[in-house]
Amino acid sequence: MTIQETQEKIDGWIKTVGVRYFSELTNMAILTEEVGEVARIMARKYGDQSSKESDQKKELADELADVLWVLLCIANQTGIDMTEAMEKNFEKKNIRDATRHKENKKLQ
């Protein structure tokens, strides 16, 4: 599924099953919550924090998909084509960072 297809599929789901989009500000708060859930898994699985039993059923892939879902909801409701936005972002990074990372001694 492409980014555009995903945006369209989410829009269709929101307008039929979800009734309507939450406000942009509410979706920003939800995005923050979802990123927090990703951080919780990362801290416990890859970091030093110990897990609780309630953490055992959480899956990183599912939580990352939740983050992408809400991010694309925000893009939809603010009229942003994320395919176009990502293409522009790659252009920016290819110009700005053309040699930056190769010259970073910390990455050698």
Side-chain angles (χ1 to χ4, degrees):
M1 187 179 338
T2 66
I3 295 172
Q4 183 60 43
E5 290 168 340
T6 306
Q7 278 191 258
E8 291 169 3
K9 199 167 186 176
I10 287 172
D11 191 59
W13 189 93
I14 293 290
K15 291 176 178 175
T16 56
V17 179
V19 180
R20 66 170 179 81
Y21 284 95
F22 294 128
S23 72
E24 295 85 350
L25 187 56
T26 297
N27 272 335
M28 184 62 228
I30 293 169
L31 179 61
T32 303
E33 287 177 8
E34 297 298 349
V35 169
E37 291 179 24
V38 169
R40 182 180 187 99
I41 290 171
M42 296 297 292
R44 284 158 174 74
K45 186 169 183 176
Y46 302 102
D48 301 324
Q49 198 170 27
S50 57
S51 295
K52 297 178 183 176
E53 192 170 324
S54 60
D55 297 327
Q56 300 302 317
K57 295 177 184 169
K58 300 282 185 178
E59 293 184 25
L60 181 58
D62 186 50
E63 298 305 332
L64 287 171
D66 285 344
V67 168
L68 183 57
W69 178 284
V70 181
L71 183 69
L72 293 179
C73 282
I74 293 169
N76 283 348
Q77 64 193 138
T78 57
I80 295 170
D81 176 334
M82 285 303 296
T83 299
E84 183 180 313
M86 288 302 301
E87 288 169 352
K88 287 180 182 176
N89 195 269
F90 269 105
E91 287 175 23
K92 174 186 77 177
K93 284 177 174 41
N94 283 331
I95 293 167
R96 183 190 67 197
D97 301 330
T99 60
R100 182 174 140 218
H101 299 298
K102 291 177 184 176
E103 294 172 356
N104 182 346
K105 292 184 191 303
K106 293 185 250 181
L107 298 177
Q108 305 297 318

